[in-house]
Amino acid sequence: MHGRIRTWGPGALVLLPTVLLLGYFVYGLIAWSFNTSLTNRHTARKGPADYVGFENYGHLFGEDRFLNSLKNLGVLTVAFIVGTLIFGLLWALLLEKGVPGESIFRSIYLFPMAISMIASGVVWGWLLNPSQGADARGLNRLFEILHLNFLENPWWTAGSRWTTMASIALPAVWQLSGYIMALFLAGFRGIPPELREAARVDGASEFKLYRHVLFPQLSPIALSALIILGHMSLKLFDLIYAITGPNQFRTEVPAIYMWNTLLRSDQAKAAAIAIVLLAVVAVLVIPYIAYTVRQESEE
């Protein structure tokens, strides 16, 4: 007995503070939020609150505003994931071929990740200024100088839902494409050279080499990138807040709606929105974790 304690005891003591902190500040607060979402605590007043079950969730999914925020989130997620994957893969392909000054290009592509979302949102809020014509600012002003007036547009202030949310996704694509590039580039560099040589000996063209040999090897990385980008898009708050502010119905997503609800001290409703977001993230992350565990056990 004492021997087993000496074996796992030091490791358990090292992990204990982390386990306690995670238990309280992560899982404990999740449990507290879920408990609050089941009550009628719609004010900041102290005192006991009555339990109303899932009534707050029913009201949420019956609200046009919340459903609109979910639709905005869906469009934002698709635009963000597709744009980031395309640019990340494109940059990885360019660097994988080998270019002079590769380290400089890698640094340039990765640099946006070092900028906070708030700072990025402030800059892109100016670049996406919707003014046109003589009052044009930001990108619209650049297009006017270059005599590309047909590219001027009101960005996120007008147009369809896709146009609006794609404009909001543009700064996030710019900021995260370098990260996806690094993932794909590491995947390319991890493919054994023998596979390339064997394919070329068999007479495979460059297109077929990538299509049938290299890209299939990157499928685990692509899946990881998809999951990472998916859950990041669900939590975008600071970028949207910095660009459009908290009261723009056209660009409102559940995170922004939750913030506005919390400012009104409607704790139960804000907690219900948070739990819905957590459930959506879990739908994305849990299957990926299960897939990873299964792959590791098979290996």
Side-chain angles (χ1 to χ4, degrees), residues 92 96 179-191 218 221:
E96 193 269 336
Y179 173 65
I180 301 303
M181 174 214 68
L183 290 181
F184 280 123
L185 189 58
F188 278 124
R189 298 288 164 81
I191 298 174
L218 298 178
I221 293 177

Side-chain angles (χ1 to χ4, degrees), residues 228-295:
I228 292 170
L229 294 175
H231 95 268
M232 290 185 69
S233 68
L234 298 177
K235 299 185 295 183
L236 281 179
F237 169 83
D238 39 7
L239 184 68
I240 301 175
Y241 192 98
I243 294 176
T244 69
N247 299 313
Q248 284 290 338
F249 181 75
R250 294 180 56 83
T251 59
E252 189 174 64
V253 295
I256 297 290
Y257 188 21
M258 180 181 65
W259 173 255
N260 288 329
T261 303
L262 197 57
L263 289 180
R264 299 195 303 270
S265 299
D266 193 339
Q267 298 181 13
K269 187 176 182 180
I273 298 173
I275 296 300
V276 170
L277 274 177
L278 176 65
V280 175
V281 172
V283 167
L284 288 175
V285 174
I286 290 178
Y288 171 69
I289 294 176
Y291 168 80
T292 303
V293 171
R294 186 170 63 252
Q295 290 292 108

Side-chain angles (χ1 to χ4, degrees), residues 14-151:
V14 171
L15 292 176
L16 184 60
T18 302
V19 172
L20 291 176
L21 289 173
L22 283 175
Y24 180 78
F25 287 104
V26 178
Y27 300 104
L29 294 182
I30 288 175
W32 178 84
S33 297
F34 181 69
N35 180 72
T36 303
S37 72
L38 301 178
T39 67
N40 63 348
R41 190 179 295 279
H42 299 293
T43 66
R45 289 182 297 177
K46 303 295 182 180
D50 297 326
Y51 283 92
V52 295
F54 291 92
E55 180 180 303
N56 293 315
Y57 295 93
H59 290 164
L60 266 183
F61 285 98
E63 279 187 3
D64 290 337
R65 181 175 180 180
F66 182 69
L67 295 178
N68 176 76
S69 71
L70 286 178
K71 293 176 183 177
N72 287 344
L73 180 62
V75 174
L76 175 67
T77 299
V78 172
F80 172 56
I81 291 176
V82 172
T84 307
L85 286 177
I86 289 175
F87 282 104
L89 181 58
L90 177 62
W91 292 344
L93 283 171
L94 293 175
L95 294 182
E96 193 269 336
K97 285 291 188 180
V99 295
E102 178 185 325
S103 59
I104 297 176
F105 283 105
R106 279 205 312 266
S107 300
I108 292 174
Y109 294 151
L110 285 170
F111 174 73
M113 283 192 63
I115 304 174
S116 70
M117 284 286 188
I118 284 291
S120 177
V122 170
V123 174
W124 277 93
W126 176 80
L127 289 174
L128 299 179
N129 190 299
S131 301
Q132 301 180 49
D135 299 326
R137 298 290 184 274
L139 290 179
N140 284 344
R141 178 61 178 168
L142 176 63
F143 294 148
E144 185 177 353
I145 293 174
L146 297 176
H147 302 290
L148 300 174
N149 303 72
F150 64 94
L151 291 178

